[in-house]
């Protein structure tokens, strides 16, 4: 059992890192929708060295689900294959568009189409990733495919709750990107523009969060009740709220690295609060039954080997990422 919990912990950490680093990546494309071509150069330079590396955390989480919790992987990759497929198509289109826009040696006007695809696919990808995650936790997946195509493949994610969760993750990604970009802009006007974006995006995230609770109540889901019954989730919610004035003060004082640190703690608190509502369940079904990490866990020997491989992998990843950031992001 201990290896099941350790592997779950690493999967949770991978999800948190992906939301923070991958979210900043996706959010940069979303912010471009509002800044237009004037933000292209800054955003391209900011994400160019690391946009591919950020996906390592998603790959780790998927590999853990596939190898460590195959029963849960089979359920969510079957029932939710439509939003997953849309998100994967978005990742491919986004990456290809960014590559051609940033690295193409020929400037023949096609950059504007690559920029459009990059921005739209950034929203589509993170929106459907959020919708997929919400469907796993909302208790809308039937236990059997015999209920029909719509009930099994569409209804679990095509509902108000999942839509608001998807929008929340989209706004959250843009907020993370805005905080990150504060340290990348070179002019005072650019800083003030991103500062205003960060305020508005945080306000939008709060409003969307309220809609998540309202939709959970409207659809008679367990999410809102589970949140208030879980003390760790409540504590994380309080912490994320308490940090708001400190973050805004640091933004106004142009303390970039301290702003990033506090915002990272804030996002981590939100995600831990969310994950603790669900723990130890991986999937909730419509009949109230669950598939927990213990129900879906692979045999003990598999979890032991998987944990060993993850430890080896993590020991390789962090030095590599540090070296990558040292080369491209840290001024020596």
């Amino acid at each position: 059992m201990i290896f099941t919990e350790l592997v779950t912990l690493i999967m949770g950490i991978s999800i948190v890192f992906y939301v923070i680093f991958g979210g900043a990546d996706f959010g940069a494309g979303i912010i471009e929708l509002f800044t237009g071509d004037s933000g292209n150069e800054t955003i391209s330079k900011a994400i160019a060295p690391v946009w591919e590396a950020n996906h390592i955390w998603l790959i780790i989480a998927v590999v853990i689900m596939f190898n460590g919790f195959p029963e849960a992987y089979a359920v969510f990759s079957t029932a939710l294959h439509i939003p997953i497929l849309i998100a994967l198509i978005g990742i491919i289109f986004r990456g290809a568009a960014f590559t051609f826009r940033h690295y193409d040696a020929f400037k023949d006007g096609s950059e504007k189409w690559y920029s459009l695809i990059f921005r739209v696919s950034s929203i589509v990808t993170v929106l459907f990733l959020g919708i997929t995650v919400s469907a796993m936790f909302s208790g809308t997946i039937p236990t059997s495919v015999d209920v029909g195509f719509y009930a099994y493949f569409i209804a679990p994610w095509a509902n108000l709750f999942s839509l608001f969760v998807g929008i929340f993750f989209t706004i959250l990604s843009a907020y993370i990107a805005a905080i990150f970009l504060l340290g990348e802009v070179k002019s005072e006007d650019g800083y003030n523009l991103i500062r205003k974006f960060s305020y508005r995006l945080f306000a939008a995230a709060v409003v969307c969060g309220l809609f998540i609770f309202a939709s959970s109540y409207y659809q008679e889901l367990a999410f809102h009740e589970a949140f208030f019954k879980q003390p760790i989730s409540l504590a994380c919610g309080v912490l994320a709220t308490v940090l708001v004035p400190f973050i805004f003060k640091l933004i106004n004082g142009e303390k970039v690295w301290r702003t990033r640190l506090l915002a990272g703690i804030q996002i981590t608190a939100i995600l831990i609060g969310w994950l603790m509502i669900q723990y130890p369940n991986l999937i909730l079904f419509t009949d109230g039954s669950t598939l927990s990490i213990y129900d879906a866990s692979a045999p003990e020997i598999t979890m032991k080997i998987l944990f060993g491989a993850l430890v080896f992998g993590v020991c390789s990843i962090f030095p590599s990422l540090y070296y990558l950031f040292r080369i491209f992001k840290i001024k020596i």
Side-chain angles (χ1 to χ4, degrees), residues 104 106-115:
D104 194 349
F106 298 97
K107 304 300 180 185
D108 55 0
S110 58
E111 307 89 67
K112 65 179 182 181
W113 296 107
Y114 295 136
S115 292

Side-chain angles (χ1 to χ4, degrees), residues 19-32:
V19 172
I20 293 176
F21 296 111
D25 191 357
F26 291 124
I30 297 168
I31 285 181
E32 260 199 29

Side-chain angles (χ1 to χ4, degrees), residues 202-228:
F202 183 80
V206 172
V207 172
C208 190
L210 295 176
F211 276 108
I212 290 175
F213 281 93
S215 59
S216 173
Y217 177 80
Y218 174 74
Q219 291 182 228
E220 300 180 349
L221 304 178
F223 174 82
H224 58 288
E225 291 183 1
F227 175 81
F228 290 108

Side-chain angles (χ1 to χ4, degrees), residues 99-153:
T99 300
F100 285 122
R101 185 185 80 171
H102 189 64
Y103 297 105
D104 194 349
F106 298 97
K107 304 300 180 185
D108 55 0
S110 58
E111 307 89 67
K112 65 179 182 181
W113 296 107
Y114 295 136
S115 292
L116 179 62
I117 295 171
F118 171 69
R119 296 163 188 169
V120 173
S121 57
S122 293
I123 285 186
V124 170
T125 302
V126 74
L127 175 68
F128 278 89
L129 285 175
I131 286 174
T132 302
V133 171
S134 74
M136 292 176 64
F137 297 166
S138 61
T140 54
I141 298 178
T143 53
S144 170
V145 72
D146 296 336
V147 294
F149 182 87
Y150 180 82
Y152 194 79
F153 295 110

Side-chain angles (χ1 to χ4, degrees), residues 6-317:
L6 289 173
V7 168
T8 302
L9 176 63
I10 296 176
M11 183 169 67
I13 293 172
S14 300
I15 292 171
V16 171
F17 281 165
Y18 187 64
V19 172
I20 293 176
F21 296 111
D25 191 357
F26 291 124
I30 297 168
I31 285 181
E32 260 199 29
L33 278 173
F34 301 97
T35 60
D37 293 338
S38 61
N40 281 13
E41 186 177 353
T42 301
I43 290 174
S44 294
K45 286 183 178 178
I47 69 174
V50 296
W51 67 275
E52 292 172 293
N54 290 331
H55 292 297
I56 188 67
W57 303 112
L58 177 63
I59 294 170
I60 291 174
V62 172
V63 168
I64 290 175
M65 280 290 288
F66 180 77
N67 290 282
F69 309 100
E71 190 175 346
Y73 181 88
V75 171
F76 95 85
S77 62
T78 302
L80 306 176
H81 73 277
I82 294 175
I84 292 173
L85 181 62
I86 295 173
L88 291 176
I89 291 173
I91 290 174
I92 293 169
F93 271 73
R94 183 180 182 280
F98 179 78
T99 300
F100 285 122
R101 185 185 80 171
H102 189 64
Y103 297 105
D104 194 349
F106 298 97
K107 304 300 180 185
D108 55 0
S110 58
E111 307 89 67
K112 65 179 182 181
W113 296 107
Y114 295 136
S115 292
L116 179 62
I117 295 171
F118 171 69
R119 296 163 188 169
V120 173
S121 57
S122 293
I123 285 186
V124 170
T125 302
V126 74
L127 175 68
F128 278 89
L129 285 175
I131 286 174
T132 302
V133 171
S134 74
M136 292 176 64
F137 297 166
S138 61
T140 54
I141 298 178
T143 53
S144 170
V145 72
D146 296 336
V147 294
F149 182 87
Y150 180 82
Y152 194 79
F153 295 110
I154 305 293
W157 56 272
N159 54 69
L160 275 178
F161 179 76
S162 293
L163 176 63
F164 283 125
V165 173
I167 294 174
F168 178 78
F169 273 94
T170 304
I171 297 171
L172 198 66
S173 296
Y175 170 70
I176 298 169
I179 296 294
F180 177 75
L181 288 172
L182 286 171
E184 301 295 322
V185 291
K186 304 301 181 187
S187 66
E188 187 175 346
D189 289 342
Y191 188 92
N192 288 332
L193 177 66
I194 300 298
R195 177 172 58 83
K196 290 177 182 175
F197 269 121
S198 63
Y199 293 162
R200 293 168 184 170
L201 287 166
F202 183 80
V206 172
V207 172
C208 190
L210 295 176
F211 276 108
I212 290 175
F213 281 93
S215 59
S216 173
Y217 177 80
Y218 174 74
Q219 291 182 228
E220 300 180 349
L221 304 178
F223 174 82
H224 58 288
E225 291 183 1
F227 175 81
F228 290 108
K229 289 179 180 177
Q230 171 53 259
I232 296 178
S233 298
L234 277 173
C236 288
V238 171
L239 174 61
T241 306
V242 167
L243 289 176
V244 173
F246 295 100
I247 292 173
F248 286 177
K249 185 177 180 180
L250 289 174
I251 291 175
N252 285 330
E254 301 187 11
K255 310 294 184 185
V256 175
W257 281 103
R258 277 184 272 179
T259 303
R260 289 175 175 175
L261 176 62
L262 274 195
I265 294 172
Q266 184 186 45
I267 301 301
T268 302
I270 293 171
L271 294 174
I272 290 176
W274 184 286
L275 292 173
M276 288 308 297
I277 295 174
Q278 182 77 7
Y279 185 82
N281 299 315
L282 292 170
I283 295 176
L284 304 181
F285 294 103
T286 50
D287 64 357
S289 61
T290 62
L291 191 59
S292 73
I293 59 172
Y294 306 109
D295 301 325
S297 176
E300 184 74 5
I301 183 63
T302 302
M303 300 305 279
K304 190 174 182 179
I305 294 172
L306 178 59
F307 176 71
L310 288 170
V311 170
F312 177 78
V314 167
C315 291
S316 305
I317 288 171

